[in-house]
């Protein structure tokens, strides 16, 4: 564990061994340090190979150490890299699988690098709100050239080893191994071949210039400012790499360090680190062991060829699974197939898909009126009309046809999965797979766990969700699950804000300035205001005590459903998506206020934002209390992936933590005093109140 050292033929092999990704945490850093010291002192050793155990070389620094003193405890990564570089015997890094972040920085401190084909190489720190902080911004431009290095560091994207090896003049990779399996032996042979070569090459000694430095970096800075205005790390990367062309190596390293330490404490970095771990933690299902055997899924059937069903089908066609798309009319099937074909054709037009792959995927699609495929499918996904009676009837028929062990999934977005499961004789095989529209695009997948859903069914669909490139998040059964239940309170607040004095544009602009991709009214016009109308009509019957602003109903009664009717909260010109402020809607709102003796008031942007966001937070706290959401991080991932919450703010629950839960509760008390608002709703959820009183946080629990 942590390292393993073997000596053969005067070659000492130091193996990074810290599963799952050979993260360079303190224990591993110390172990590598000690191994280098021993090998350097061992007269029987003439050269050293540094390699990674398992599937990769190293994923870099241990992100879980960040924000703790351990991250900087000696030997920190900088010191370790300096130690490797100053070793009196050549150190050859053997790279395979993934060599990124601090792992690549460590490899660049070695004297040579031998890479296996297919090894993913990169410096993704910018995606964590950081920059490479262990020499990456100073060595990579020297190894790859300034422009290639800048692109890699600012984008955070990985490049394959063979592509890097093909770059003119590159010094990052000294030799490509013939295969991953041959890597270690070939790296050992390479090490022996250079064992006596002196002076040993050091990337830091290479020159680093750009012929048109001023112009190039000015252009780079402008591009980054425009592309990522909310991410200070991207601009910092440009500045650090420019330092490599202007300063000595030592000065450049000092500059990099200064910038790195500054970024580590930014709210953006804390948010992005939180989301990195939250997205991975969301994959862990409480009560389901990570090694739970999965059921084989080789054939999929989708019942319902509408917009959702055809989009869902594409996800499985994309990973090469045959899909039977079932509906009860040829017209519906034709529309579904045409929609899939059109979506793929659009990808071909953008160069994202070849004609051959399109044909291959369409060849896996069977559109049929017959229920016969239900008896062959390993996974059956129902995507029919959102009505409980209809779904129960469909599940009864699926249950009668499906083979033993098949997984029966509903795409329901709000209905009670336990009731649907009870319509079958196999409730343990029933699960909710709530895709978000467009189902072939949106990454969020709410996996709804019924009371009786079997652990292996959960394990299977969570892994399958990742295979179809979704971010699966587990939700318990409640109306709206996680995302829609929270968004309903957010939209209620938006309606109240209109009554009190805001225009749709004011509300949208305030929350879009906060960072949301789209405000509630533009979102309603995009999704269709009639969807919310149908839900409210249901609510008026089910929960008459909950008040909604009737303005949204008045809008729908005018037939203003949004873009699809060229009129919603905003006006739209034919064929254009631009939201134009609507005089008709303005008059309708003004009339409502007059009819209800409401004197409109100026509402601050801060109040707009915090009534919308803290409505999410309070409902999120209730979801945690009820066990519908397992973690606050899960809720943040839902809002990031499904509702356009700004990543640099980390999600609603993380944002509340960073704002201070005591301040959140204080703001809610103010909102509760507003006679136009809902004082009952603004009673802080008990969990929120408790954490606020104890100085705790959603994502960190109660601070000790
Ligand atoms: N630190 C800690 N844990 C990590 C980790 C890391 N760097 N990378 C992955 N993990 C955990 C992850 O949380 C999950 O844990 C498990 O490993 C599998 O991850 C000074 C400052 C390498 C491409 O940004 O991109 O070096 O859920 O599901 O899909 O300049 O992990 O199993 O408990 O993602 O096969 C820079 C981040 C760090 C790379 C593999 N490095 N990692 O993908 O597995 S900062 C990164 C990845 C740094 C220096 C700077 C991917 C991967 P669990 P996974 P995967």
């Amino acid at each position: 564990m942590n390292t393993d050292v073997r000596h053969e033929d005067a070659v000492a092999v130091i193996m990074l061994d810290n599963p799952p990704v050979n993260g360079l945490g303190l224990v591993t850093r110390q172990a590598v340090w000690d191994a280098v010291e021993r090998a350097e002192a061992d007269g029987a050793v003439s050269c050293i190979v540094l390699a990674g155990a398992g599937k990769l070389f190293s994923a870099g620094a241990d992100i879980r150490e960040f924000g703790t003193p351990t991250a900087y405890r000696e030997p920190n990564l900088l010191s370790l890299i300096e130690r490797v570089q100053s070793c009196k015997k050549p150190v050859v890094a053997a790279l395979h699988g993934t060599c990124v972040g601090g792992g690549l920085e460590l490899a660049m401190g070695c004297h040579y690098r031998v890479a296996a084909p297919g090894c993913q190489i990169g410096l993704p720190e910018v995606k964590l709100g950081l920059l490479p902080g262990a020499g990456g911004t100073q060595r990579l431009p020297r190894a790859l050239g300034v422009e290639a290095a800048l692109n890699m560091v600012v984008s955070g994207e990985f490049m394959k080893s063979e592509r890097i090896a093909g770059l003119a003049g590159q010094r990052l990779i000294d030799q490509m191994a013939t295969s991953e399996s041959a890597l270690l032996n070939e790296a050992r042979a390479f090490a022996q071949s250079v064992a006596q070569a002196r002076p040993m090459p050091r990337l830091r000694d290479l020159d680093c210039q750009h012929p048109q430095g001023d112009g190039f970096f000015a252009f780079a800075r402008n591009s980054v400012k425009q592309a990522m205005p909310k991410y200070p790390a991207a601009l910092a990367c440009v500045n650090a790499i420019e330092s490599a062309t202007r300063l000595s190596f030592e000065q450049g390293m000092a500059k990099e360090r200064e910038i790195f330490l500054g970024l580590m404490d930014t709210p953006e970095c804390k948010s992005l680190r939180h989301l990195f771990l939250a997205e991975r933690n969301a994959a862990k299902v409480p009560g389901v062991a990570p090694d739970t055997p999965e059921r084989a899924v080789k054939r999929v059937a989708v019942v319902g060829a509408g917009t959702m069903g055809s989009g869902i089908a594409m996800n499985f066609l994309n990973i090469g699974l045959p899909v039977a798309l079932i509906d009860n009319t040829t017209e519906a099937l034709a529309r579904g197939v045409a929609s899939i074909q059109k979506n793929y054709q659009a990808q071909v037009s953008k160069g994202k898909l070849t004609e051959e792959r399109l044909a291959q995927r369409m060849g896996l699609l069977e559109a049929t009126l017959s229920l016969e495929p239900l008896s062959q499918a390993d996974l059956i996904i129902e995507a029919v009309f959102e009505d409980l009676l209809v779904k129960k009837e469909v599940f009864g028929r699926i249950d009668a046809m499906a083979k033993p062990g098949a997984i029966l999934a509903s795409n329901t977005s709000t209905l009670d999965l336990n009731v649907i499961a009870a319509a079958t004789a196999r409730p343990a095989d029933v699960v909710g797979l709530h895709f978000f529209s467009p189902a072939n695009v949106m990454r969020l997948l709410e996996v709804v766990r019924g009371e009786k859903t079997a652990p292996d069914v959960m394990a299977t669909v969570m892994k399958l969700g990742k295979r179809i490139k979704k971010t699966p998040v587990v939700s318990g059964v409640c109306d709206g699950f996680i995302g829609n239940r929270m968004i309903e309170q957010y939209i209620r607040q938006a309606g109240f804000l209109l009554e009190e004095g805001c225009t749709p544009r004011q509300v949208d602009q305030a929350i879009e300035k906060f960072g949301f991709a789209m405000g509630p009214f533009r979102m309603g016009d995009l999704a269709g205001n009639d969807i919310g109308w149908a839900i409210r009509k249901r609510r008026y019957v089910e929960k008459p005590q909950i008040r909604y602003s009737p303005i949204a109903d008045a809008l729908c009664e005018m037939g203003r459903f949004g873009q699809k009717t060229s009129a919603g909260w905003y006006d739209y010109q034919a064929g254009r998506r631009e939201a134009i402020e609507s005089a008709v809607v303005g008059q309708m709102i003004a009339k409502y206020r007059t009819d209800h003796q409401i004197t409109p008031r100026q509402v601050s942007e801060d109040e707009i934002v915090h009534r919308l966001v803290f409505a999410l937070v309070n409902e999120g706290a209730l979801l945690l209390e009820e066990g519908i959401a397992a973690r606050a991080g899960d809720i943040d991932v839902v809002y990031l992936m499904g509702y356009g919450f700004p990543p640099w703010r980390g999600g609603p629950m993380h944002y509340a933590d960073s704002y201070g839960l005591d301040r959140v509760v204080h703001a809610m008390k103010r909102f509760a005093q507003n006679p136009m608002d809902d004082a009952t709703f603004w009673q802080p959820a008990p969990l929120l109140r408790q954490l606020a009183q104890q100085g705790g946080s959603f994502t960190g629990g109660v601070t000790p």
Side-chain angles (χ1 to χ4, degrees), residues 274 614 616-625 630-633 635-636 651-658 660-661 664-665 668 685-692 695-703:
H274 161 69
F614 293 164
L616 297 176
V617 172
N618 206 31
E619 200 63 28
L622 292 171
L623 286 167
L624 288 170
E625 273 170 23
R631 309 169 193 87
I635 294 173
D636 288 337
M653 311 311 274
H654 177 83
Y655 174 73
D657 284 346
S658 56
L661 297 189
V664 172
V665 169
M668 290 167 68
L687 172 65
L688 170 55
R689 185 190 302 280
Q690 176 204 358
L691 288 171
S697 67
F698 288 118
T699 46
V702 177
T703 43

Side-chain angles (χ1 to χ4, degrees), residues 177-248:
T178 49
S179 69
E180 186 167 304
S181 56
L183 171 68
L184 199 49
N185 284 337
E186 291 177 8
R188 293 159 49 87
F190 182 92
Q192 286 173 311
S193 73
V194 297
Q196 308 311 323
R198 297 296 184 275
M200 292 182 287
R202 302 184 310 173
L203 289 176
R204 56 145 299 157
D205 296 329
L206 297 178
D207 190 28
C208 182
Q209 294 300 329
H210 189 286
Q212 295 85 31
D214 292 346
F216 173 74
F217 286 107
F219 172 77
R221 263 188 281 279
N222 288 335
S223 307
V224 159
K225 280 176 188 168
Q226 283 195 9
M228 296 179 262
K230 298 290 187 182
Y231 294 94
L235 188 57
C237 289
V238 178
N239 295 337
I241 288 179
E242 181 177 28
S243 301
T245 68
R246 305 235 192 259
L247 306 174
S248 71

Side-chain angles (χ1 to χ4, degrees), residues 20-21 23 55-56 59-64 66 77 98 100-103 105 123-125 128 130-134 158 260 264 276-277 280-281 284 466:
V21 293
K55 66 177 185 174
L56 79 170
D62 188 333
I63 297 170
R64 284 166 294 205
F66 291 166
L77 196 49
T98 305
V100 297
E105 292 173 301
L123 291 175
E125 288 85 339
L128 295 170
L130 292 166
L131 57 61
F158 301 165
F260 174 78
M264 185 64 86
F276 175 87
L277 295 175
R280 286 155 181 82
N281 284 335
K284 295 167 190 157
K466 194 166 177 181

Side-chain angles (χ1 to χ4, degrees), residues 680-694:
T680 307
F681 171 72
W682 286 118
Q683 295 313 305
L687 172 65
L688 170 55
R689 185 190 302 280
Q690 176 204 358
L691 288 171
Q693 283 164 355
Q694 295 173 354

Side-chain angles (χ1 to χ4, degrees), residues 50 93 98 109 120 148 159 168 234 258 268 285 289 320-321 443 449 457 459 581 664 667 674 692:
L50 179 62
T98 305
Q120 294 281 10
M159 275 175 79
E258 174 199 338
E268 293 83 0
V285 185
L321 292 185
R443 282 189 56 198
R449 184 178 196 173
V457 169
E581 200 121 30
V664 172
N674 173 356

